């Protein structure tokens, strides 16, 4: 089991109905390599304005997004357990869960796992990589009895 130090930053105006620190830790831990290694991650929960600003600055997209991943790249010769930062927009998570007709807590779990896989170097820029990343997400979410998030709920 990985050793995780999680810095949870709540920078959203409404802290109602947010997952607990322990839920964020559980979701994060399953997405990490299952070794005794140490990892430090920051998860920052933000509102639309901050999400949109960061998405515009770092991705050139002038709109809020559900999760942004900022992997930490240590300088050569320096080993640190810092994996990186996730920035998750509360309103986008809640809106997407509603639109996709899924429990909001399930969507939080999915986005945390998705973001941590990005921190670990996984991506979905092409079909092969997307299929690999999604299959890992699906398997990890099963550990929490969360159904496949990529199935469309009509």
């Amino acid at each position: 089991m990985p050793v995780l130090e999680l810095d949870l930053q709540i920078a959203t105006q409404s802290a109602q109905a947010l997952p607990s620190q322990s839920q964020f830790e559980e979701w994060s831990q399953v997405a990490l390599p299952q070794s005794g290694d140490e990892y430090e991650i920051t998860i920052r929960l933000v509102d639309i304005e901050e999400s949109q600003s960061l998405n515009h600055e770092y991705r050139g997209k002038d709109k809020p997004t559900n999760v942004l991943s900022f992997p930490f790249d240590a300088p050569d010769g320096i080993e640190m357990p810092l994996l990186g930062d996730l920035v998750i927009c509360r309103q986008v998570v809640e809106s997407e869960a509603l639109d996709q007709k899924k429990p909001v807590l399930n969507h939080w779990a999915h986005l945390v796992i998705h973001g941590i896989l990005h921190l670990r170097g996984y991506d979905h820029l092409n079909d092969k990589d997307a299929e690999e990343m999604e299959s890992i997400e699906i398997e990890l979410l099963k550990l929490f009895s969360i159904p496949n998030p990529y199935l469309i709920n009509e």
Side-chain angles (χ1 to χ4, degrees):
M1 188 76 157
V3 177
L4 173 64
E5 183 177 321
L6 178 65
D7 177 19
L8 181 60
Q9 299 177 357
I10 299 175
T12 178
Q13 294 300 314
S14 173
Q16 292 179 318
L18 290 176
S20 67
Q21 170 93 22
S22 63
Q23 286 171 308
F24 281 107
E25 288 171 357
E26 286 179 57
W27 298 329
S28 298
Q29 282 189 313
V30 300
L32 295 169
Q34 297 304 297
S35 63
D37 293 342
E38 292 183 31
Y39 297 92
E40 293 178 19
I41 299 169
T42 296
I43 297 178
R44 181 173 174 82
L45 309 181
V46 301
D47 288 326
I48 286 174
E49 184 178 309
E50 185 172 345
S51 175
Q52 183 165 341
S53 174
L54 290 169
N55 200 25
H56 184 258
E57 181 175 348
Y58 291 99
R59 297 180 64 225
K61 298 183 180 188
D62 195 17
K63 62 180 185 175
T65 189
N66 51 22
V67 61
L68 291 166
S69 303
F70 298 96
F72 177 71
D73 193 15
D76 288 341
I78 297 178
E79 288 192 34
M80 295 181 67
L82 184 59
L83 191 59
D85 301 340
L86 297 180
V87 177
I88 305 175
C89 181
R90 178 187 59 83
Q91 292 94 335
V92 174
V93 172
E94 292 169 354
S95 174
E96 288 178 347
L98 187 63
D99 290 347
Q100 297 169 21
K101 298 177 177 67
K102 59 178 71 168
V104 71
L105 210 55
N106 289 5
H107 199 45
W108 277 107
H110 178 214
L111 293 176
V112 168
I113 289 170
H114 181 87
I116 291 190
L117 290 177
H118 275 308
L119 293 180
R120 292 184 51 202
Y122 289 90
D123 219 320
H124 43 82
L125 298 177
N126 62 53
D127 289 345
K128 180 178 178 277
D129 291 345
E131 189 175 306
E132 178 186 18
M133 187 172 178
E134 290 172 10
S135 68
I136 293 168
E137 292 170 24
I138 291 164
E139 288 306 308
L140 294 176
L141 289 166
K142 280 182 188 176
L143 299 172
F144 300 101
S145 300
I146 297 173
N148 180 343
Y150 295 103
L151 295 177
I152 297 171
N153 294 322
E154 299 278 337

